[in-house]
Amino acid sequence: MRLLEPIEINGMLLPNRIVLPAMVTRLSGEDGYVNQDIRDRYLRFAHGGAGLIVVEAMSVHGGKSGPLLRISDDSFIPGQAEMVSAMHDMGPSKVAAQIIHFLKIARSGWRQKVSDLSREEIRAIIRQYAEAAGRVRRAGYDAVELHMAHAYTLSSFLSLRNRRPDEYGRSLENRMRPMTEAIRAVRAEVGPDFPVGVRFDAEECIKNGYTLSDSREMALRMAKLGCDWVSVSAGGKFEDAIHKPGEPLYPYTGYSGDRCMPSVNYPDGANIYLSEGIKSYLNQKGYRVPVVATGKIRTPALAESILVESRADLIGMARALLADPDWPRKVIEGRSDKIVRCVYGNVCKALDENFRKVRCVLWPKGALQAPLIQDSAAPEWTYGEANLIAIEVAGRVQLKWNHADDDLAIYGYEIYRSADDGPFDHLTSVKGVFYVDDHVVGGVRYRYWVRAYDLGGNRTPRSNTAEVMLPDPTLLPAASPK
Amino acid sequence: MRLLEPIEINGMLLPNRIVLPAMVTRLSGEDGYVNQDIRDRYLRFAHGGAGLIVVEAMSVHGGKSGPLLRISDDSFIPGQAEMVSAMHDMGPSKVAAQIIHFLKIARSGWRQKVSDLSREEIRAIIRQYAEAAGRVRRAGYDAVELHMAHAYTLSSFLSLRNRRPDEYGRSLENRMRPMTEAIRAVRAEVGPDFPVGVRFDAEECIKNGYTLSDSREMALRMAKLGCDWVSVSAGGKFEDAIHKPGEPLYPYTGYSGDRCMPSVNYPDGANIYLSEGIKSYLNQKGYRVPVVATGKIRTPALAESILVESRADLIGMARALLADPDWPRKVIEGRSDKIVRCVYGNVCKALDENFRKVRCVLWPKGALQAPLIQDSAAPEWTYGEANLIAIEVAGRVQLKWNHADDDLAIYGYEIYRSADDGPFDHLTSVKGVFYVDDHVVGGVRYRYWVRAYDLGGNRTPRSNTAEVMLPDPTLLPAASPK
């Protein structure tokens, strides 16, 4: 399986192609130091065995930032070093730190823009990136990733909305200038033998934003500058963010936020066309820098096909690994059927948007981390059977079933569905014993079964299969294929 | 060439695979009758020889609508019939009428929503669609196309934002109910032997909007209902429209409007993934209903490759045919090099947004139609040479050249560019003798040439080639491929 093959990146040997992209947790204190919750979160990921774990964005500057990690002076190094060392002790995962600069935002909705920055301030930001990267190396990280995506400073320079009239705006070269200078400064600081990656938007997904036409040139520049990987994201911009009165403007709240973290509305792998566009352009230009794909990649089969079809070199999964940090370990051990499947309901995203600690809705109530429990006893249907019932109510399908019990605790219930004679696919997972399926059309025979699963990943037997068909509204005498 | 092969659609023989999708013109009077400007516009398109010309949306109801065609009672038939007959006299193009229902909007920004409609009102809309389709047939049109895209009534029912709690909302089946009923009513009215097409959004491109996951089911329903073609659009919604104080809310002004009419920022064929997703799903389900692709398809080569790769069955081009209605004729006659190339600057879109008559910025000043002039004398460089100069100014490339003269009139100047040793591609066209190229990066050798063209499509010789290279900011000792 290509997904499980090691890959060497500038001397750093990843044991597999699975990447945890940087993901905000809001677990750190306002002081920006590593605390116990942060440490637990990343040790939990290290237990799972992803090839590369990118620790959440830490700020390169000293600005006020809420509960966000910082690496803006040397005092932050010891806590980081201890965490990284403990992660390395857990297993073969490599660990990178993502470093970020962001501009000021206020509760009034005001925000500082790149057009407000003096050349002096731009130069200071470049220096801060370099110094922070040096601290990352000294903290024992295996690599550093520069955050140039979404709504943050370097991305805002890259934006097609950047109309600065000087050498830092308007033309593609001018927009790339701070990125170029930051990469060069970081490389000079950390030396040639330390892996440096970049995460950036391959498409802004806002009105008058850039698309692959520009981003492929950005990626080419990164490759020419000797970046060691290019991690592809999309959207997550301020320009279409929805302002919540009394709170600072938060990106990811508009359409571009949907595109950054595609929800249940989107097909699997909704953004793969972006990594594909970037990778094919780089390869065509003679560069082999690894490209990381992200965006609702949830199954080992999809991940594998992306690699086999050369649409990316590495597979990034944020929400899927939040739901189950052991996703990689389970694939490696041939226990893919035990993966706790992300349902892409974006409760994690909503928590972040509301400035709350980021957790997965599938975890047990109140848990700050994914459960890690030794439990080999499977749960059982409380009344010996699930008694799943599916009925139509006003053009929707209502499902009900019995509870299940476990000696420790039930995690939730997985719902599988087949349309006509198709395969049973995982539709979603829920914590209760009730679900309404809105994604149904008349004239199709839907069959469902459910099963409960416990914190150890053990499953009940499948429930009975319940069948329902909404009336076919076409009612045509001959609706035959033409 | 596949593009030029005829195709039969329910007895209607299209002479080629080129489709003019319905495009607002704002040329009709407030009364909704065909007038001279409308007639001239569509006769001009008929002269060009597209396989299918879809006349702009005409309203099925009597509501106030500004300068928009109507087909809401029989009094509109004679004017339509005369125009269609004249179009048929022009050449082999087939002619369809697009019919539309829209809800009320006010200058305050208020708009009526599908959740405001009673069941009675919904039934009335369905009846209006059927009656209008009957009039379309009686007017001598070859086909009718039901508008179910963008911000209009049937599309708003299809929307994932439609949360009506009754049988017309929430679930996919409920959202499809008005569409289903409209198609059935139209078919019953026009009979089995009259081609009925549908235009709809394959992706809404708004927050919490639907994507291919839903739209492929919608297309399947259309196929099952016996629709004769499916024309794929995207976006163009009210939900992200920008309200201009004192004017009614207008769709296409937000990000989803960009996605509906992809501008210069987007790669060519930006929305082909949608027609491809729809077509492959339909084919997989055993249906062969032709799928129309649209969205910045400008070259015969791209159009051909879409057909050869089975990503669509027909090629829709709105802006490209607005710029040059003779695009099909020129391809047929082997004069593709004479095509007046759309520059995707979206001035036409901006005119529409500002409630003004829709024209192409490339046309001669004040012209309401694309020029149609017999002129075989090529223009000439006024001073015998173009003297093209390219210089860098603050990270951008400025181009200047001499005027050209023509015995009748100059249309404009085409600018071609090569990057490094790549081919010279059409960069854009302008009406003056000055251009600033923002889409440049350092370290790349850009070469440019320009040529003037007249209203007959004749060209000057190419100008001299001007070369410029911005400094390479990487300045790395070894920027070699890795």
Side-chain angles (χ1 to χ4, degrees), chain A residues 171 173 211 214 265 394-395 439 442, chain B residues 171 173-174 211 214 265 394-395 439 442:
Chain A
S171 83
E173 180 58 52
T211 69
D214 284 6
N265 308 345
H439 203 262
Chain B
S171 83
E173 181 58 51
N174 290 352
T211 70
D214 283 7
N265 308 344
H439 203 263

Side-chain angles (χ1 to χ4, degrees), chain B residues 241-477:
Chain B
I242 296 161
H243 185 222
K244 199 170 166 183
E247 295 288 353
L249 191 62
Y250 197 63
Y252 314 105
T253 47
Y255 172 79
S256 71
D258 274 16
R259 291 293 307 279
C260 187
M261 288 165 264
S263 73
V264 70
N265 308 344
Y266 284 81
D268 282 2
N271 289 339
I272 298 171
Y273 76 103
L274 294 173
S275 61
E276 183 178 21
I278 295 291
K279 180 173 163 65
S280 64
Y281 192 67
L282 291 176
N283 292 172
Q284 172 199 327
K285 294 288 183 180
Y287 290 88
R288 297 283 155 204
V289 52
V291 176
V292 185
T294 57
K296 204 179 174 189
I297 302 169
R298 59 174 169 166
T299 65
L302 176 59
E304 182 69 7
S305 76
I306 293 167
L307 297 176
V308 168
E309 293 165 14
S310 281
R311 306 177 77 188
D313 302 284
L314 292 157
I315 303 297
M317 295 183 295
R319 292 167 294 172
L321 291 181
L322 187 71
D324 191 349
D326 293 327
W327 195 106
R329 173 185 283 265
K330 288 173 180 173
V331 174
I332 292 165
E333 294 172 358
R335 299 186 295 125
S336 295
D337 63 316
K338 303 285 189 196
I339 289 171
V340 176
R341 296 155 181 251
C342 174
V343 299
Y344 297 93
N346 273 352
V347 172
C348 49
K349 179 172 180 285
L351 288 167
D352 179 32
E353 282 174 25
N354 289 287
F355 308 97
R356 293 169 61 189
K357 290 177 180 176
V358 174
R359 300 177 297 110
C360 176
V361 70
L362 298 176
W363 297 347
K365 202 167 176 180
L368 267 187
Q369 310 298 344
L372 181 58
I373 283 176
Q374 291 306 317
D375 175 7
S376 57
E380 288 175 10
W381 294 109
T382 305
Y383 305 107
E385 57 182 4
N387 196 23
L388 174 65
I389 296 168
I391 53 165
E392 186 210 335
V393 178
R396 308 158 74 199
V397 173
Q398 284 190 1
L399 302 173
K400 287 185 207 181
W401 60 93
N402 287 340
H403 284 272
D405 285 321
D406 187 65
D407 56 335
L408 290 166
I410 291 291
Y411 209 130
Y413 300 86
E414 290 179 340
I415 304 171
Y416 284 75
R417 186 181 86 165
S418 153
D420 287 334
D421 292 319
F424 279 91
D425 290 324
H426 179 239
L427 182 64
T428 190
S429 300
V430 294
K431 308 200 83 165
V433 292
F434 180 78
Y435 183 72
V436 177
D437 186 4
D438 268 342
H439 203 263
V440 290
V441 297
V444 171
R445 188 168 64 106
Y446 293 105
R447 289 178 297 157
Y448 300 86
W449 55 257
V450 299
R451 65 181 182 186
Y453 60 115
D454 68 14
L455 300 187
N458 308 294
R459 265 74 175 174
T460 57
R462 295 177 182 189
S463 72
N464 59 301
T465 300
E467 186 174 319
V468 68
M469 183 156 81
L470 279 61
D472 186 343
T474 67
L475 288 179
L476 282 174

Side-chain angles (χ1 to χ4, degrees), chain A residues 410-429:
Chain A
I410 291 291
Y411 210 131
Y413 300 85
E414 291 178 340
I415 305 171
Y416 285 75
R417 185 181 86 165
S418 153
D420 287 333
D421 293 319
F424 279 90
D425 290 325
H426 179 240
L427 183 65
T428 191
S429 299

